Amino acid sequence: MLYVVPTRLARNIAVVSTIVTDYLVSLYNVPEGPARERIKHECHERCADRLQKLFFKNGGTYIKLGQHVGQLDYLLPEEYVRIMRESMLDKCPVSTYEQISAVIERELGLPPEQAFAEFAPVPLASASLAQVHKAKTHDGRQVAVKIQHTHLTDTASADTATVAFFVRAVKWAFPDYDYSWLVAELQESLPRELDFVHEGQNAEACARNFKSKSPHLAPYVKIPEIDWSLTSTKVLTMEFMDGVGVTDVAKQKELGIRTADVAHLVSDVFAAMIFHHGFIHCDPHGGNMLVTTADQNGSRRLGKARPQLVLLDHGLYRSLDNNLRSNYAALWKALVLGEETGIRRYSTAIAGEDMYILFASVLTMRPWDQVTNQRLDHLVMPDDPEERLKLQGYAAQFMKETTALLARLPRVVLLLLKTNDCLRSVDLALGTPVNSFVTTARECTRALSQIRYEQNPGIGSLARGAIDKVRVEVRVLLMQTLALYEKVRASMVSWGSLFGNKRTRAGDVVDEAPLALAIPRGLPA
């Protein structure tokens, strides 16, 4: 401890000073224009690379910070997001076998060779706070053992204080870059994530919620069971679960699973947690979810095996109170339907009257005119990388305002934004950019109907709920029709291009303009 903290502090000072100096010198007296943008891009690349190396050398808390940075598409330069995202999820530093053996012996009272009948010395995976080893218990069960990286608890507080100091330094040098809210989130979340007993309790609460509140999904969601006899605050022993990556399309096909079914299941599971359970897994990136086949007496859909989603890493959860859950569900319903009045009302309820436009834009990664557009695909993330860069450029124009918004929002809403970003990435990787909005539209409507009926039981609440469901189903049907049309159209264009033009087999020219179906505004409110 006496050696580690000063070493990290000196390393931080050197790197942050270099980064600040690089920006100040590189951009000094360079006027706005293409030359400045090129220099800024090069500077972002260099400094993001320096920051990534710093986080890797320091490890632990800094890796967790890097993972946060890699998910801030709407706030940070693309270079930082890309470099952190590519390196921080599945390429984390690994503790030595001697180090993790010492942790296990200190926590469980026995070295791994005695605590377990078998213990693999090479980890299956290493994350920011811990690494996982496969083992077998003395009664023959296959388990996964999650061991916290050495000295992490001892250095976490000092690391967070150091990060806070440098965030203030960056704010002093660049007033528009105020990330104090990120430090506040680390200070609140990290102690919970470092307590593996708390993580085990979260896992069991999540499993109970699916069994009691979403029984139709329970057979298709797997939460590894906790072995409490071999668990402590720094060692977590759980049922070993095999499976393929949630974004590994090729391996899913090998298992006979339709990618679309996986996408639907992921959306259904997290919509249930957000809108019905009010208890949400807030770190659903690709490394924390596996897919396997559901063992339901050979249950199949359209000749394909039914997928089962395995949820891992339950350290970061948040609870939504009924008021926030209701406002959030109503906001998403208004967003999907493009109802400007509802978007204004419920966005204001969450973010405040002076920030509702920016909040809706950050939540959907869309400018306001697209958020309130009546096009069916107004919220769908574009596949074109250039279009995504345009959206990031739009967000960069409001850097100061966005950081002010994030500093104001409740911590739970910040984690909802992070959850949305993770799920959006999974949806895009699975090639179903419409899917999450379809599920969200249905589930938030169901949740609102349930909340309304609980508050005002009666035929009026039931009738209004039925009308809302009809409206949403009409919208969903049109969205799915549009998605199917775009796929068919893309296939015909690709086929026609083989002959040097954009013609179909019948010789008709395929219109290259995007389809813009709109929901009639006269549907019941």
Side-chain angles (χ1 to χ4, degrees), residues 187-203:
Q187 290 172 333
E188 182 174 342
S189 298
L190 197 57
R192 302 183 190 186
E193 292 188 81
L194 291 173
D195 182 354
F196 288 174
V197 171
H198 177 72
E199 177 175 344
Q201 292 168 342
N202 285 344

Side-chain angles (χ1 to χ4, degrees), residues 200-214 223 277:
Q201 292 168 342
N202 285 344
E204 292 188 336
C206 180
R208 286 195 301 271
N209 280 340
F210 278 102
K211 289 178 181 178
S212 62
K213 299 178 181 180
S214 302
I223 314 295
H277 306 174

Side-chain angles (χ1 to χ4, degrees), residues 64 149 169 279 390:
K64 179 61 65 175
H149 290 308
F279 187 62
K390 286 180 182 179

Side-chain angles (χ1 to χ4, degrees), residues 359-378:
F359 177 63
S361 297
V362 168
L363 187 61
T364 59
M365 291 188 66
R366 285 287 183 277
W368 178 252
D369 62 337
Q370 292 187 31
V371 170
T372 57
N373 197 304
Q374 288 291 299
R375 283 176 56 106
L376 287 173
D377 58 351
H378 71 297

